[in-house]
Every structure is written in C-alpha cells, then in structure tokens.
Amino acid sequence: MTQELIMDAAASDLSRQTAEIMRRYNDVFQRHDPSALAELVAEDCVIENTVPAPDGARHAGKAACVGLWTAIATQAGTRFDIEETFIAGERATIRWRYFMADGNSLRGVNLMRVADGRIVEAMGYVKG
C-alpha cells in the first residue's frame, strides 16, 4: 500500500516552524553552544541515540536529553557537518557527518519530531 503526503497551508506553516527549531538545534552543535537546548527540548523528549551498537541507548525526559546533547555539543576537537535537513510538517530528517577529535569521522542521520514548538523525539542512526 502506498501512502500519500498532501501538503496544505497548515502543514506548510508547521514545516516552517519545524525548520526554525531544527536550524536552532543544528546551531547548538555548529557553535558548540548548548545554551538554546533548554528552550528547544520538551519535558517528555525521548532520544534513541547511536551508541552502544547495534541498538543505541534510550534517554527519556528533558534533563536526560539536554544533558546528552550538551555533552556532545561541547566535546573538544569535534564537529558536525550538516549535509542536509529535510522538513515535512512536524518531522525533520538531518543527514550529518561527525568528525571526532582524532580526525576519524562517521556518517549518520537523525529522525526528529517536534510538537508544540519543542523537540519531542530524536532517533539517531549511523552508517556502517
């Protein structure tokens, strides 16, 4: 069965709001400045991150999510290259490449969901 996605004015407005939240979220990692996270993350946010392989770990609640993302954003000598951010309504897909302090890198994707102007879900996956 094929699903159809029909965009309308309300979905377009929601996409714009989600895009702005994702821009601010990505800036946290680009600038190594987690100060915006508290206002971007919902109280009931859930992250399923990429480690430990193969299934990652689950982090639930605002404090746990802000804590994890703060640790990643402030890790010395690292950087994220954002390859693409795709927005559809309340959902966003972010393709990225993460460069570690030792010069090695890996590629990944985050599947994000926003509700009421805050991030409520983030599921991270890495290539290989």
Side-chain angles (χ1 to χ4, degrees):
M1 175 182 269
T2 304
Q3 284 189 328
E4 290 182 355
L5 176 63
I6 300 170
M7 299 297 287
D8 60 17
S12 180
D13 287 345
L14 182 56
S15 291
R16 277 192 285 280
Q17 292 169 3
T18 300
E20 176 59 18
I21 292 164
M22 290 300 105
R23 183 196 60 74
R24 293 176 61 210
Y25 170 81
N26 285 333
D27 281 352
V28 164
F29 300 95
Q30 298 301 297
R31 297 179 179 164
H32 300 278
D33 179 6
S35 60
L37 287 172
E39 68 182 69
L40 293 174
V41 176
E43 290 295 329
D44 59 347
C45 183
V46 174
I47 297 171
E48 292 183 7
N49 71 345
T50 61
V51 293
D55 295 323
R58 184 177 174 90
H59 304 267
K62 182 174 185 166
C65 294
V66 168
L68 175 66
W69 282 331
T70 295
I72 294 168
T74 58
Q75 197 164 32
T78 65
R79 80 172 199 273
F80 276 94
D81 285 352
I82 305 301
E83 296 178 337
E84 178 183 59
T85 302
F86 176 82
I87 307 295
E90 68 179 8
R91 299 197 176 270
T93 302
I94 305 167
R95 281 192 311 114
W96 47 262
R97 187 168 190 165
Y98 178 66
F99 291 86
M100 296 168 259
D102 65 5
N104 289 315
S105 69
L106 57 94
R107 278 206 156 94
V109 63
N110 284 3
L111 305 178
M112 312 286 286
R113 189 169 61 86
V114 171
D116 299 320
R118 300 198 189 261
I119 299 166
V120 294
E121 183 177 61
M123 297 174 8
Y125 300 90
V126 293
K127 189 173 182 175

